[in-house]
Amino acid sequence: MDNSDSHDDALANRILKYAAATSKTSELPPFPGDDVESLPSDYEYDENEEYDEEEVEEISEMELLGHLDASMPPILLAQELFQSDVDSSTFKVLTSNNANELFHQGYTVLNNVLSPTTIQSVRQWATEMFKAGKMDKASGKHSEEDDPFREGNARGDYTIWVSPGSKFLEASPELKECVDWFSGRLHEDLTKVVHLHGQAEYQLAFYPPDSSHYERHRDSFPTDDKEDVDQRRITAIVYFNPDWKQGNGGELRIFDKGMGDEDEKNIDIAPLAARCVVFLSGVMDHAVMPAFEERIALTSWYR
């Protein structure tokens, strides 16, 4: 049998089970059949009669994630995606401690991953792109019809996609160097830790110093399906803010739920230059706190 036909969509099944468990409608009586003669002799349909309608409860994406998390802590699901035998001696960027933190707590931090010269060059280029109006306001892509539950002002950053082959990488060799680091050394290490399929996305973001932020969200739904190619598995972010200091804002806030048996913790990570934060996309809710100075970051999502 074709694997694509037999592939069991575990995430969809979990959502359907939740929907069934919370349904407020009773089971419908069996229909007598297609044979008209099998209908009761006194059967009549009155179009003016009021019939019970199925009650549909609309919930937001974050509410759905909350229900899924209650049925199974997302970190337990994600841990099923980790490789069983990891040789940290072959790592080029990560350490064994980074791999352990990613597995046990869902996030880890690396520092000084890029040179100061590269950081400054990319920051200058991104600032010029923003001032020239060549970056798209991310919230402008929000469609209330497609997603009526997310506010249009959920985020205040401006972005451009910079995947390998992008014209923007030709204009900035230093930015290309950063994307090459994401797609090369870091990707190779992460593949040794977590089952990945090779697909990745890269986005450069500029937060103006006007309290721009990004509300709490998650980058994907949690899954333990190694064959799934739709859900992002790992998020990695590098920052380009060499003069950042306390009070500038723009911290990455991670909402650490642990195993779900303890109070949630807010972990604020400063967006320091050359710092890289790596976390499990389907596990960690996160937000960008209001920025009072220009904040620049490059994000990669690995599937």
Side-chain angles (χ1 to χ4, degrees):
M1 182 181 293
D2 189 339
N3 289 336
S4 62
D5 292 334
S6 62
H7 173 54
D8 182 20
D9 191 339
L11 174 60
N13 286 338
R14 292 177 65 214
I15 294 175
L16 289 173
K17 287 180 180 178
Y18 162 71
T22 58
S23 175
K24 298 181 181 179
T25 59
S26 58
E27 292 186 4
L28 295 174
F31 191 75
D34 295 330
D35 185 0
V36 176
E37 294 182 358
S38 66
L39 292 172
S41 59
D42 60 348
Y43 176 82
E44 291 184 3
Y45 172 73
D46 185 353
E47 63 180 8
N48 296 318
E49 183 177 345
E50 293 186 3
Y51 292 90
D52 292 337
E53 295 184 2
E54 181 179 359
E55 185 175 340
V56 178
E57 180 183 1
E58 294 182 344
I59 62 173
S60 69
E61 179 180 291
M62 290 305 298
E63 288 173 326
L64 175 57
L65 283 168
H67 290 299
L68 292 175
D69 293 351
S71 67
M72 170 77 73
I75 195 163
L76 290 182
L77 284 172
Q79 285 174 348
E80 295 297 319
L81 300 175
F82 278 70
Q83 306 283 6
S84 58
D85 187 14
V86 178
D87 182 5
S88 61
S89 67
T90 64
F91 287 164
K92 297 179 180 178
V93 175
L94 300 177
T95 66
S96 59
N97 186 57
N98 291 138
N100 285 328
E101 288 180 343
L102 195 61
F103 180 85
H104 291 290
Q105 67 184 23
Y107 66 94
T108 189
V109 178
L110 298 76
N111 289 309
N112 303 314
V113 299
L114 297 170
S115 71
T117 301
T118 298
I119 293 294
Q120 191 60 51
S121 177
V122 171
R123 180 177 179 83
Q124 179 179 346
W125 185 84
T127 302
E128 292 173 354
M129 291 290 289
F130 169 74
K131 291 181 177 179
K134 295 183 179 180
M135 302 185 84
D136 297 323
K137 186 170 177 57
S139 62
K141 298 181 179 180
H142 166 78
S143 170
E144 184 174 352
E145 181 179 351
D146 294 337
D147 185 1
F149 308 110
R150 176 162 293 182
E151 296 181 3
N153 61 353
R155 56 190 299 185
D157 57 329
Y158 292 74
T159 64
I160 53 174
W161 293 98
V162 291
S163 298
S166 166
K167 62 181 181 180
F168 297 117
L169 300 186
E170 298 178 3
S172 174
E174 290 78 10
L175 179 59
K176 182 179 183 302
E177 175 188 337
C178 298
V179 173
D180 287 346
W181 181 83
F182 269 120
S183 62
R185 299 172 67 195
L186 180 60
H187 195 179
E188 290 174 15
D189 281 1
L190 291 173
T191 301
K192 297 172 184 176
V193 178
V194 178
H195 285 275
L196 299 175
H197 289 278
Q199 302 97 324
E201 306 160 271
Y202 307 91
Q203 185 184 76
L204 185 66
F206 182 99
Y207 285 77
D210 56 2
S211 299
S212 56
H213 66 288
Y214 196 158
E215 70 176 20
R216 179 171 179 165
H217 64 286
R218 199 179 303 181
D219 288 345
S220 72
F221 282 97
T223 181
D224 59 355
D225 187 353
K226 295 177 182 178
E227 301 304 317
D228 180 275
V229 296
D230 297 320
Q231 299 301 319
R232 295 165 171 170
R233 299 191 177 182
I234 295 181
T235 300
I237 309 171
V238 169
Y239 299 104
F240 301 83
N241 311 300
D243 299 321
W244 188 93
K245 58 181 180 293
Q246 194 72 33
N248 288 165
E251 294 90 348
L252 175 71
R253 173 166 292 181
I254 287 180
F255 301 90
D256 186 359
K257 295 183 288 294
M259 292 296 178
D261 55 357
E262 55 189 39
D263 292 338
E264 180 178 273
K265 300 176 183 177
N266 294 345
I267 310 297
D268 287 349
I269 302 175
L272 300 178
R275 168 170 285 176
C276 179
V277 182
V278 181
F279 57 88
L280 300 176
S281 306
V283 174
M284 309 309 301
D285 289 356
H286 56 287
V288 176
M289 306 308 291
F292 308 110
E293 295 292 337
E294 294 177 351
R295 178 191 190 274
I296 298 172
L298 178 62
T299 302
S300 177
W301 295 278
Y302 302 99
R303 299 179 190 270

